[in-house]
């Protein structure tokens, strides 16, 4: 996976795995972006590299509607 400077993360996965992931997140009332950022923050915190990863409610709303 290449590392660019855009601020975007692109991950390829099997379509069935993606479907299952979205289904579980929907049950938890989350979307992929919020789940990913929560896990990134947790990982960075564990490694002493906590950074604030802000995203607006507008960005969250756009992700939910995708």
């Amino acid at each position: 996976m290449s590392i660019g400077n855009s601020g975007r993360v692109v991950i390829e996965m099997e379509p069935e795995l993606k479907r299952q992931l979205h289904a579980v997140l929907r049950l938890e009332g989350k979307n992929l972006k919020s789940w990913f950022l929560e896990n990134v923050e947790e990982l960075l915190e564990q490694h002493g590299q906590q950074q604030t990863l802000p995203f607006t409610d507008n960005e969250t709303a756009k992700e939910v509607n995708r």
Side-chain angles (χ1 to χ4, degrees):
M1 181 183 309
S2 64
I3 300 175
N5 296 321
S6 71
R8 296 181 61 94
V9 176
V10 178
I11 300 170
E12 291 185 30
M13 65 176 64
E14 294 296 321
E16 180 59 20
L17 181 61
K18 179 181 174 184
R19 187 196 63 73
Q20 291 175 359
L21 176 59
H22 280 283
V24 170
L25 291 174
R26 195 169 25 258
L27 288 173
E28 293 186 356
K30 298 180 180 180
N31 61 52
L32 186 56
K33 182 176 181 175
S34 65
W35 175 80
F36 180 79
L37 290 176
E38 287 172 14
N39 284 277
V40 167
E41 287 179 348
E42 183 179 321
L43 180 66
L44 292 178
E45 191 173 273
Q46 290 172 0
H47 290 272
Q49 299 179 16
Q50 177 64 22
Q51 297 178 1
T52 302
L53 302 173
F55 60 94
T56 65
D57 289 336
N58 189 29
E59 288 175 321
T60 303
K62 284 191 293 188
E63 184 66 25
V64 169
N65 292 324
R66 287 187 180 173

